[in-house]
Amino acid sequence: MATEEQFEAAVRWGRVGVGLAAPGTSAEVWRQELARLEELGYGSVWINEGIGRGEAFSQLGLMLAATQRLVIGTGIANIWARQAPVMQAGAETLAAAHPGRLALGLGVSARVLVEASGLAYGKPLEAMSAYLDRMDASKGHAITPAVPFPRLLGALGPKMLELAGERADGAYPHSMPVDNTVLARKALGPGKLLVVGVAVFLDDDVEHARGLARQSSLFRIPGSPYLANLRRLGYTDDDLGPEPSDRVIDAMFACGRADVIAARVREHLDAGADHVVLQPMGMDLTTLVDQIEAVSGHLPS
């Protein structure tokens, strides 16, 4: 169960955060662009961890040190990338150094991506449950933070959402329709945090934006958990392939003008999300933040 301190921290996040993925970006540029986001008034910035394409805790440390008030979180820190006691100790150390400013999202990624890195991929639900056991067993061995950090699960399907409700402070589903947010809120209940990630393709030409969205790797991952969850939500093969329909693209992503993107944020908030994370796609870090700045005036406070 999320503590009172964690929910107070979530209130400080505001309603909208930012997700960023910019491999190869220098520390200097990260510091510069994080300062811009802080000036724009966003409450949080989130990263993901792909094995071999960046390491979460070194990046979290850089981001926390470069900012004053932003909450810095992982959409997922990959559970296959480090042992559970190491994950727990790393999070405790950062949370102690930056009270109330760390959010730790854990995820299982996808089999093909993990195995490509040379690691074994177990049964996701069992692996996550055992991983949480080992994290819990190692709590406080490094240091006990004054403000506990919220632990979220990168959960798409019903079983992982159920585990998030039982063993974590909430969940962070990404790139799913608003209908999934309704189901996630119901699965988690009112006492858990629900952070929803939305991939953004900002363009006045909606057809061009949809074309960019269709290139998303989420559709091409063998055994994609995103496609599996879309089928659970009622999308058919006619919707999903070989080329995803406009219906699928518009449900999964926010495509088009800034006001359209802002409307999608409101839909997820109305469906039960506590915090919506906008993730602009496919450009260098400065251009990604330019897009977030362009959207900022349209967003709910």
Side-chain angles (χ1 to χ4, degrees):
M1 176 69 79
T3 66
E4 182 178 349
E5 291 90 347
Q6 288 164 357
F7 275 112
E8 288 177 356
V11 169
R12 293 199 302 273
W13 301 357
R15 308 308 302 277
V16 185
V18 178
L20 294 174
T25 302
S26 70
E28 180 181 356
V29 174
W30 270 104
R31 294 186 188 104
Q32 168 190 305
E33 299 308 325
L34 289 167
R36 285 178 64 196
L37 290 172
E38 209 157 38
E39 290 173 4
L40 287 168
Y42 287 93
S44 71
V45 177
W46 303 72
I47 59 171
N48 286 319
E49 182 174 42
I51 301 174
R53 293 184 292 114
E55 194 283 320
F57 279 88
S58 56
Q59 184 69 21
L60 289 171
L62 184 159
M63 296 168 74
L64 285 162
T67 52
Q68 299 298 316
R69 59 165 187 81
L70 281 170
V71 170
I72 306 296
T74 53
I76 75 158
N78 199 311
I79 69 168
W80 314 103
R82 61 188 60 78
Q83 293 293 318
V86 178
M87 184 84 79
Q88 181 68 29
E92 287 176 344
T93 301
L94 289 176
H98 304 276
R101 295 186 54 217
L102 176 72
L104 182 68
L106 305 172
V108 297
S109 187
R111 178 180 298 276
V112 66
L113 301 178
V114 172
E115 291 182 345
S117 71
L119 299 173
Y121 190 86
K123 295 181 178 179
L125 195 69
E126 293 179 11
M128 180 62 81
S129 181
Y131 196 91
L132 295 174
D133 288 340
R134 295 193 296 273
M135 285 185 70
D136 288 344
S138 63
K139 282 183 178 178
H141 289 186
I143 191 171
T144 300
V147 179
F149 58 88
R151 184 171 74 181
L152 310 174
L153 301 190
L156 295 179
K159 291 182 179 179
M160 195 66 78
L161 282 168
E162 182 180 354
L163 185 65
E166 294 172 352
R167 300 292 308 281
D169 300 307
Y172 185 163
H174 202 292
S175 296
M176 281 288 109
V178 173
D179 288 350
N180 192 74
T181 299
V182 174
L183 295 176
R185 171 48 69 200
K186 186 177 296 184
L188 291 173
K192 300 287 181 173
L193 298 170
L194 179 55
V195 179
V196 172
V198 178
V200 169
F201 295 88
L202 178 65
D203 198 312
D204 288 342
D205 182 346
V206 67
E207 291 303 325
H208 184 253
R210 286 171 175 156
L212 294 175
R214 281 192 177 86
Q215 299 172 27
S216 170
S217 63
L218 303 185
F219 299 118
R220 300 191 300 274
I221 299 170
S224 171
Y226 296 90
L227 295 182
N229 204 50
L230 287 168
R231 289 190 171 92
R232 277 192 290 265
L233 293 171
Y235 293 86
T236 67
D237 288 341
D238 288 340
D239 295 310
L240 297 175
E243 183 174 278
S245 67
D246 284 353
R247 176 176 178 242
V248 168
I249 294 298
D250 290 344
M252 290 181 70
F253 307 117
C255 297
R257 302 185 313 271
D259 60 325
V260 173
I261 291 162
R264 179 56 51 84
V265 170
R266 294 186 185 92
E267 289 171 3
H268 281 291
L269 292 172
D270 290 345
D274 296 300
H275 194 65
V276 176
V277 177
L278 293 179
Q279 181 153 355
M281 303 301 293
M283 302 176 187
D284 66 275
L285 185 61
T286 298
T287 307
L288 296 179
V289 177
D290 287 344
Q291 291 213 2
I292 289 297
E293 183 170 10
V295 172
S296 61
H298 298 264
L299 296 171
S301 57

